[in-house]
Amino acid sequence: MLELLESLLVVVLMVPIVMAVILGLIYGLGELFNVISKIGHAKEHDKNTSAKTDVTSERR
């Protein structure tokens, strides 16, 4: 009976810890991919800006 209570206590303590670790990993990966995405979009933005500049200079 004592072993069962010890196991229950371990589970009660470990479930929130493991869930917090998993949520932290999800959040961390999301932030990482946002940074990677911003780098990619910055390159696209530079290309679009130069293309728009070329179009406006041709109109003059």
Side-chain angles (χ1 to χ4, degrees):
M1 182 71 180
L2 185 60
E3 289 180 16
L4 186 62
L5 290 174
E6 287 177 1
S7 298
L8 180 64
L9 182 64
V10 169
V11 168
V12 167
L13 291 174
M14 289 303 292
V15 166
I17 293 171
V18 171
M19 285 186 66
V21 168
I22 291 171
L23 288 174
L25 288 172
I26 291 170
Y27 180 80
L29 286 173
E31 290 294 321
L32 176 68
F33 288 128
N34 280 337
V35 169
I36 293 170
S37 178
K38 285 180 184 178
I39 292 170
H41 287 302
K43 290 179 182 177
E44 288 178 12
H45 181 68
D46 291 341
K47 290 179 184 177
N48 290 339
T49 304
S50 63
K52 288 179 182 177
T53 305
D54 293 340
V55 170
T56 55
S57 62
E58 290 176 6
R59 289 182 185 170
R60 294 180 185 175

